[in-house]
Amino acid sequence: MSVKTVGVVGAGTMGSGIAQAFAASGFNVKMSDIGPEQVERGRKAVEKSLDRLVSKDKISVADHGAALERLEGVVGLDPLADCDLVVEAATEREELKLQIFRDLSGLVGEHVVLASNTSSISLTRIAAATTRPERVIGMHFFNPVPVMKLVEVVRALQTSDAVFEQVDGLTRQLGKEPVAVKDSPGFAVNRILVPMINEACFAYAEGIASPEDIDRVMQMGANHPMGPLALADLIGLDTCLEVMKVLHGSLGDPKYRPSPLLQQMVDAGYLGRKVGRGFYVYD
Ligand code: CAA
């Protein structure tokens, strides 16, 4: 079954990036969120990112226009009923994701593959919430989606070989590199990356160095493109905290204990770039 129309659930940082990646690769995309404001914000983010690619001569003005033409913003899940593939990129909360998958399962055709961009939740549990567990899979993209090449393709215990092959091929059609990883907490990247960010929060809280200096040492001393606290702001502090909670809860090792400062920042609403304030302040 060839994929022509892709539904993306969630128009936030990741959802809008994923919608852009599919639209820019020739797919028709329906990007869904809970209200018109959220959808509009997502559309603006895509437009801004495409503007950036035009200004860097990465794409033509015509490609920019064509990608936006292929992107339709919709409210709620019902308009996704005729999609050939749905990628869920909603907030990283298990109950919410399970409900979305239950709803999608009753809405779209039985042949449709349901993918999740979850960064840490068990795909096997998500698959079990649907009527088509063998057609559920993880497609884990990285932020900023238009720039980052990797997609972790996560097989639930139930995922069929055919669905895995199809999603592997689709990922390549997006110009991205699929890597198969096991359905294990945090998969591969976040299992390694987010504990490093968490450790940077501990280091800052202990007064080892300022946020600027923590970031500078990791840029200069480890050649990271950006420091861990700036990266936390880019990912979203709420997402980082959720990943740590999943690692801590499911692996049970105290080394995954979320930094109390990270928790406090989230409680204060300092979620990073998306709200204009995290470890740094943004325009
Ligand atoms: N849309 C389009 N293009 C973008 C973009 C966006 N949103 N953001 C950056 N770019 C492009 C820029 O236009 C620029 O292009 P050129 O190389 O052609 O000039 C290029 O990316 C680099 O950007 P900048 O020059 O603005 O800045 P930079 O060199 O500091 O790079 C960065 C920015 C790409 C974000 C880089 O700092 C980086 O790679 N950081 C690490 C990102 C990372 O680790 N992401 C993974 C997070 S984990 C995750 O997402 C998973 C999860 O589940 C939590």
Side-chain angles (χ1 to χ4, degrees):
M1 174 79 197
S2 82
V3 171
K4 291 198 176 67
T5 304
V6 178
V8 177
V9 180
T13 313
M14 295 305 288
S16 62
I18 294 166
Q20 178 182 338
F22 277 101
S25 305
F27 296 90
N28 295 321
V29 178
K30 290 185 175 184
M31 179 175 69
S32 155
D33 212 313
I34 51 171
E37 307 80 38
Q38 286 86 347
V39 172
E40 191 45 34
R41 210 176 306 144
R43 232 190 124 74
K44 288 229 170 71
V46 173
E47 206 170 336
K48 203 170 144 197
S49 174
L50 290 168
D51 287 346
R52 199 163 168 173
L53 294 171
V54 169
S55 72
K56 301 263 179 178
D57 279 334
K58 293 270 169 73
I59 60 167
S60 67
V61 174
D63 287 344
H64 177 296
L68 274 185
E69 281 275 295
R70 286 191 284 266
L71 177 67
E72 184 191 349
V74 299
V75 174
L77 296 180
D78 288 350
L80 306 184
D82 62 349
C83 288
D84 308 309
L85 163 76
V86 180
V87 183
E88 170 277 325
T91 308
E92 195 66 8
R93 285 207 317 273
E94 182 159 337
E95 258 325 300
L96 175 70
K97 291 201 190 258
L98 293 181
Q99 192 54 51
I100 289 171
F101 274 80
R102 270 183 219 116
D103 293 346
L104 286 172
S105 194
L107 184 71
V108 299
E110 266 309 309
H111 64 283
V112 172
V113 171
L114 300 178
S116 176
N117 178 57
T118 179
S119 40
S120 56
I121 296 168
S122 160
L123 261 310
T124 301
R125 275 206 298 278
I126 293 177
T130 73
T131 54
R132 72 201 70 210
E134 71 290 349
R135 299 196 156 272
V136 174
I137 194 162
M139 278 184 95
H140 185 216
F141 290 81
F142 294 83
N143 188 3
V145 179
V147 182
M148 304 297 280
K149 283 278 174 227
L150 176 67
V151 176
E152 287 182 313
V153 180
V154 191
R155 291 180 78 136
L157 195 66
Q158 308 93 317
T159 309
S160 72
D161 290 346
V163 166
F164 174 78
E165 295 302 334
Q166 188 184 6
V167 167
D168 186 273
L170 278 168
T171 304
R172 291 178 204 278
Q173 270 181 268
L174 300 180
K176 305 220 180 272
E177 193 68 44
V179 173
V181 295
K182 271 196 184 163
D183 184 19
S184 168
F187 315 128
V189 172
N190 284 345
R191 170 82 178 261
I192 299 165
L193 183 69
V194 184
M196 181 200 68
I197 289 172
N198 193 49
E199 199 58 36
C201 297
F202 274 112
Y204 170 41
E206 287 168 23
I208 290 173
S210 67
E212 290 80 2
D213 284 348
I214 286 172
D215 282 344
R216 266 161 23 101
V217 295
M218 292 306 287
Q219 285 182 282
M220 292 190 301
N223 253 7
H224 289 192
M226 68 204 301
L229 299 175
L231 183 56
D233 280 359
L234 178 73
I235 294 171
L237 271 57
D238 48 346
T239 300
C240 293
L241 179 63
E242 280 310 313
V243 172
M244 288 313 298
K245 284 183 175 170
V246 168
L247 292 178
H248 193 217
S250 46
L251 299 171
D253 192 319
K255 74 180 177 185
Y256 298 114
R257 178 172 78 99
S259 143
L261 175 64
L262 180 60
Q263 176 73 63
Q264 260 186 331
M265 300 276 291
V266 171
D267 291 345
Y270 302 156
L271 305 183
R273 282 198 199 192
K274 61 186 167 189
V275 299
R277 179 169 180 177
F279 288 102
Y280 300 93
V281 175
Y282 303 86
D283 289 335

